Amino acid sequence: MAQIIVKSDKNKNIVNILKKSVEREKLLLKIAICQAQEELSRFEKQYNMETNSFIRKFRQGFLGDNPDFIEWSGEKEIFDRLKKQFSQMREINFAY
């Protein structure tokens, strides 16, 4: 768990500001994750293939260099990075 320790003699409201900022960032990450998931679903429907199966075949070189495949691979990387960031944000705990 990540812990943020806030010390401020002058402004007791700083903790609330930081908490709201973290919550806002988590909301933005949720929205971005949903958008990335929609893009992955679009590719899955278009090519009748699950993303994990696609990634395995694409990395093994079985699918060629179709621009859609490059975009799909990039979208999967973005999706994974966003999910990791969201998971890390969920671990933040404020101590004061």
Side-chain angles (χ1 to χ4, degrees), residues 29-78:
L29 284 169
K30 281 182 185 180
I31 292 168
I33 289 167
C34 287
Q35 290 172 337
Q37 181 62 58
E38 287 175 7
E39 282 299 303
L40 294 176
S41 294
R42 181 179 63 84
F43 283 117
E44 289 175 346
K45 288 176 186 168
Q46 182 176 349
Y47 292 99
N48 196 29
M49 185 183 327
E50 291 184 6
T51 295
N52 290 334
S53 177
F54 158 74
I55 291 296
R56 191 171 43 260
K57 291 176 183 179
F58 183 71
R59 288 183 179 158
Q60 291 173 345
F62 295 136
L63 300 177
D65 60 356
N66 178 328
D68 274 358
F69 294 161
I70 294 168
E71 183 180 348
W72 191 356
S73 175
E75 197 65 46
K76 173 66 169 140
E77 288 178 22
I78 290 168

